[in-house]
Amino acid sequence: CIASDISPNRDIGLKKSRFFKVGDTQNLANKIREFISRPLIDQEKKEQIEMVKEHYNWDSIANKTLEVYRQVKKR
């Protein structure tokens, strides 16, 4: 995954090397070339899978959202 270097994207926990300068199409093209030419090693794949599981697991997000609703309802 690569992303523009805007604030919300920087909050998702990617390594600094995964960001490109917003609006800089040449920088984006360079990042695409870089990561196509250098596939992830197994450890990098595992780290990214775990990061996605930890931060973007739908069941976990749904449960956290439900808990917020329950807390609001109690008030």
Side-chain angles (χ1 to χ4, degrees):
C1 177
I2 57 175
S4 62
D5 64 353
I6 61 172
S7 231
N9 291 347
R10 288 192 307 262
D11 292 341
I12 63 174
L14 292 174
K15 293 181 180 179
K16 189 174 181 178
S17 64
R18 294 278 172 181
F19 295 102
F20 63 91
K21 295 177 184 174
V22 68
D24 186 341
T25 57
Q26 187 60 52
N27 188 230
L28 171 58
N30 291 341
K31 290 289 181 180
I32 291 170
R33 279 190 214 93
E34 174 186 347
F35 287 104
I36 286 175
S37 67
R38 187 186 63 83
L40 295 176
I41 62 172
D42 286 341
Q43 182 59 34
E44 290 172 315
K45 289 178 189 177
K46 288 177 186 177
E47 288 172 4
Q48 287 196 14
I49 288 168
E50 288 305 312
M51 186 272 295
V52 169
K53 283 181 182 179
E54 181 181 338
H55 295 288
Y56 303 103
N57 176 289
W58 178 249
D59 290 333
S60 176
I61 292 168
N63 286 329
K64 288 176 184 177
T65 302
L66 182 58
E67 185 57 33
V68 169
Y69 290 156
R70 286 181 176 146
Q71 292 299 320
V72 169
K73 184 179 173 187
K74 288 180 183 180
R75 294 180 186 177

